């Protein structure tokens, strides 16, 4: 938990020359802003894991910056971010090449249909929806992900 750390403090921590980070977990911070996350993204190209769960001042611009700048992200945890939408996750066949896990539990502005479109491009990524489960229509098997027969998806 990152209580009491100011946004300026985060930006100083993530500034150029100080950032060889591969994993960052900043949870439950009401202070961290999009500007601090953008600074982190710009200065941590080797970042593989980010957890910004319950950081309420994070928006789509931060998510876009992370995936634009941190091209080797493998695990992204954004639990409880009420200000992010599907706009932070463009449908792009070259954007999430290293991603293995995307947790969007309690992110109420991201629809399962959008996650399904991402899943069609990246079937090996474990995507967790608002309810903390695989979106409706997905069923995890030991080494594969299969659609249940009753799932209807319209393009």
């Amino acid at each position: 938990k990152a209580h009491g750390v100011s946004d300026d403090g985060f930006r100083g921590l993530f500034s150029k020359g100080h950032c060889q980070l591969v994993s960052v977990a900043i949870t439950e911070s009401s202070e961290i802003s999009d500007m601090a996350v953008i600074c982190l993204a710009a200065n941590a190209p080797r970042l593989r894991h980010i957890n910004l769960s319950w950081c309420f001042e994070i928006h789509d611009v931060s998510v876009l910056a992370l995936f634009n700048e941190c091209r080797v992200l493998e695990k992204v945890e954004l639990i409880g971010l009420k200000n992010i939408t599907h706009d932070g996750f463009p449908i792009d066949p070259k954007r999430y090449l290293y991603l293995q896990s995307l947790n969007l539990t309690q992110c109420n502005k991201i629809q399962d249909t959008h996650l399904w479109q991402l899943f069609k491009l990246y079937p090996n990524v474990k995507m967790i929806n608002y309810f903390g489960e695989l979106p409706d229509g997905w069923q995890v098997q030991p080494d594969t992900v299969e659609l249940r027969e009753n799932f209807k998806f319209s393009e």
Side-chain angles (χ1 to χ4, degrees), residues 60 84-91 96 109-111 114-115 118:
D60 289 331
I84 62 172
T85 70
H86 64 273
D87 292 338
F89 303 91
I91 305 299
Y96 314 100
K109 293 182 181 175
I110 299 176
Q111 301 296 318
H114 189 76
L115 290 179
L118 285 174

Side-chain angles (χ1 to χ4, degrees), residues 36-47:
V37 175
I38 291 167
C39 183
L40 168 65
N43 293 296
R46 295 184 186 118
L47 193 65

Side-chain angles (χ1 to χ4, degrees), residues 13 28 38-39 41 46 51 54 56 67 79-80 89 100 109 115 119 126 147-148 150 154:
L13 177 67
E28 299 181 41
I38 291 167
C39 183
R46 295 184 186 118
N51 185 344
W54 304 107
F56 298 114
F67 282 107
I79 299 167
F89 303 91
Q100 298 171 11
K109 293 182 181 175
L115 290 179
F119 174 75
K126 180 180 179 184
L147 274 175
R148 284 187 241 147
N150 62 352
S154 58

Side-chain angles (χ1 to χ4, degrees), residues 10-21:
F10 282 119
R11 283 186 278 171
L13 177 67
F14 302 142
S15 66
K16 192 171 188 170
H18 295 285
C19 210
Q20 297 298 315
L21 299 170

Side-chain angles (χ1 to χ4, degrees), residues 81-143:
L81 300 190
K82 304 295 185 188
N83 294 316
I84 62 172
T85 70
H86 64 273
D87 292 338
F89 303 91
I91 305 299
D92 181 345
K94 296 180 181 170
R95 188 170 188 81
Y96 314 100
L97 297 177
Y98 293 90
L99 191 61
Q100 298 171 11
S101 175
L102 176 62
N103 192 335
L104 300 170
T105 303
Q106 296 293 310
C107 295
N108 58 327
K109 293 182 181 175
I110 299 176
Q111 301 296 318
D112 282 359
T113 53
H114 189 76
L115 290 179
W116 172 242
Q117 290 174 336
L118 285 174
F119 174 75
K120 284 175 29 179
L121 290 175
Y122 301 96
N124 294 321
V125 176
K126 180 180 179 184
M127 296 182 195
I128 306 298
N129 71 0
Y130 174 85
F131 297 105
E133 56 194 21
L134 295 173
D136 188 30
W138 302 0
Q139 181 176 351
V140 175
Q141 299 299 326
D143 292 319

